[in-house]
Amino acid sequence: MPQTLAAPATTFRPNVLRYDEHVFVLRHRLDGRVWQEDETWFVQCEELDLTVWGESREQAEEAFAFGFYAHYLNYYLADDSQLAPDALAYKSQLHGLIRVALHLS
């Protein structure tokens, strides 16, 4: 069985996230971590239950920004009547987290 090479985890603590033309200014820094296993980089934020990966740290961080944007679209902007109780709780969590959401065009 091949051995997995893992680099020690480092912190990932953004308070601003950018995806395409969208910028999210957060009320506090996220408490996440970044690590590498073999040729794959991972970014994880337990607060958001979000784990992503990429071929480089930069790609993994870009994937995290995309994942955050997807959560913004699917929860933050969703009509309450479309969401289950646990999704409503998560939407409330996102509303408490995002200070400003900007669309730059």
Side-chain angles (χ1 to χ4, degrees):
M1 177 185 300
Q3 182 177 358
T4 300
L5 300 176
T10 59
T11 59
F12 177 72
R13 297 191 36 83
N15 64 343
V16 175
L17 293 167
R18 292 175 181 83
Y19 176 72
D20 282 345
E21 298 174 348
H22 302 275
V23 177
F24 302 96
V25 179
L26 308 179
R27 295 184 191 281
H28 67 269
R29 290 187 177 278
L30 295 176
D31 188 17
R33 65 188 192 111
V34 178
W35 74 97
Q36 183 183 17
E37 290 182 20
D38 295 325
E39 301 298 318
T40 305
W41 285 83
F42 295 87
V43 176
Q44 180 180 56
C45 178
E46 290 184 14
E47 175 182 355
L48 300 175
D49 192 24
L50 182 58
T51 303
V52 298
W53 58 91
E55 293 179 4
S56 67
R57 181 179 177 137
E58 181 177 294
Q59 280 185 354
E61 289 182 9
E62 288 171 0
F64 187 87
F66 170 76
F68 187 87
Y69 175 67
H71 285 209
Y72 173 77
L73 289 178
N74 293 314
Y75 295 96
Y76 189 96
L77 296 180
D79 185 84
D80 288 356
S81 66
Q82 305 268 327
L83 299 174
D86 59 337
L88 281 169
Y90 186 66
K91 176 181 180 174
S92 178
Q93 179 184 349
L94 287 176
H95 274 270
L97 174 63
I98 299 172
R99 179 183 311 252
V100 178
L102 303 169
H103 178 84
L104 309 173
S105 50

